[in-house]
Amino acid sequence: MLFQDTALIYGRYLRQSLRSRFALLFGVLMPLLYLLFFGPLLTDLPLGEEGSSWQVLVPGLLLQLGLFGASFAGFAIIIEQGQGVVERMRVTPVSRLALLLGRVLRDATVFVFQAVLLVLAALVMGLRAPLPGVLIGFAFVALLTVSLASLSYALAMKVRTPQEFGPAVNAMTMPMMLLSGLMLPMTLGPAWLDVLSHFVPFRYLVDAVRDAYVGSYATAHMLYGVLVALAFTALAVTVGTRVFRTAGA
């Protein structure tokens, strides 16, 4: 039943996304602009990492795509509450976990698709990375999307208005972006900033994907990245499901 309910919810929201092709492609615009206008500035600069500047920048842009896109996914719940969609779902026998999983799996599908477009553009601009590393990067994008979208939906169920939701998400995502080393490795900064960044979970995901893009798979960065991604996803889905149940979604 959980699988059937999840597939039903997933299909419903995926069809909504496919009907809005403009929004589907527009979501990849910001990372693409970073790629086009910021990437060439890093060429031949000593970034203190293995591989080319593209192998440093592109993994960060992939996770930036998941970070910002999934964090704002909760806006959809606020709109549905205003339209009465959530109220109608409340009286159905569909599993509360399925109501969450169907949404976040749709989000993961959308952002992985956008990640593919971003990597294809990066390949044209000069990125060279092993295929297993690229696929590992997509897997991290999917896990990050599932975790952050779950928390975003949970937050939206609590605050209920866009005026409260938007500033709250911005207050959380901006420090995460700056301290995780998405744009540049944190090792380039002062020691205190590098130490502080280790308390941000996304730092481990970025380091893992950068290792994957240079073909290094059996590393401490990869191990820590996988463990943090799985633990964070499990925690976020648990929190999101609990909120959906208590909120009567």
Side-chain angles (χ1 to χ4, degrees):
M1 288 299 296
L2 176 61
F3 177 80
Q4 293 177 350
D5 291 346
T6 301
L8 177 66
I9 300 299
Y10 172 79
R12 177 185 188 275
Y13 286 104
L14 184 61
R15 287 191 295 271
Q16 285 185 354
S17 297
L18 293 177
R19 285 196 294 267
S20 181
R21 295 183 179 89
F22 179 78
L24 192 65
L25 297 176
F26 190 78
V28 77
L29 179 61
M30 185 173 69
L32 188 60
L33 291 177
Y34 274 106
L35 183 71
L36 293 175
F37 300 133
F38 187 67
L41 297 176
L42 303 181
T43 304
D44 299 327
L45 290 181
L47 300 179
E49 296 278 333
E50 292 185 50
S52 68
S53 59
W54 297 109
Q55 290 170 307
V56 173
L57 178 63
V58 173
L61 293 180
L62 290 177
L63 296 178
Q64 182 196 57
L65 181 66
L67 173 63
F68 283 98
S71 295
F72 286 93
F75 271 118
I77 284 284
I78 297 176
I79 295 173
E80 288 183 348
Q81 287 177 326
Q83 296 174 342
V85 175
V86 174
E87 185 68 25
R88 289 194 294 271
M89 285 185 173
R90 181 180 302 171
V91 299
T92 67
V94 175
S95 165
R96 297 297 182 261
L97 177 58
L99 289 175
L100 176 66
L101 289 181
R103 287 178 170 92
V104 299
L105 290 178
R106 184 281 309 266
D107 294 331
T109 302
V110 169
F111 290 121
V112 168
F113 171 73
Q114 293 176 345
V116 171
L117 297 181
L118 182 64
V119 170
L120 291 177
L123 289 172
V124 173
M125 296 191 67
L127 170 69
R128 296 296 179 265
L131 179 59
V134 173
L135 296 179
I136 289 173
F138 294 153
F140 274 99
V141 171
L143 287 173
L144 181 62
T145 300
V146 169
S147 58
L148 289 180
S150 298
L151 295 177
S152 180
Y153 289 129
L155 177 62
M157 294 294 292
K158 291 294 186 180
V159 299
R160 296 186 178 274
T161 64
Q163 292 79 8
E164 295 174 317
F165 180 78
V169 172
N170 274 325
M172 291 184 289
T173 54
M174 288 305 297
M176 296 298 178
M177 184 192 76
L178 296 174
L179 288 175
S180 61
L182 289 178
M183 297 295 100
L184 293 171
M186 295 303 297
T187 52
L188 296 178
W192 67 268
L193 195 59
D194 186 29
V195 171
L196 183 62
S197 71
H198 282 87
F199 294 94
V200 179
F202 307 124
R203 160 74 186 266
Y204 300 96
L205 276 64
V206 175
D207 289 342
V209 179
R210 282 179 176 151
D211 274 10
Y213 264 59
V214 297
S216 300
Y217 309 117
T219 65
H221 286 160
M222 184 63 66
L223 175 61
Y224 293 149
V226 171
L227 292 178
V228 170
L230 292 176
F232 188 57
T233 301
L235 176 62
V237 172
T238 300
V239 171
T241 304
R242 181 172 299 176
V243 172
F244 265 62
R245 285 173 176 166
T246 57

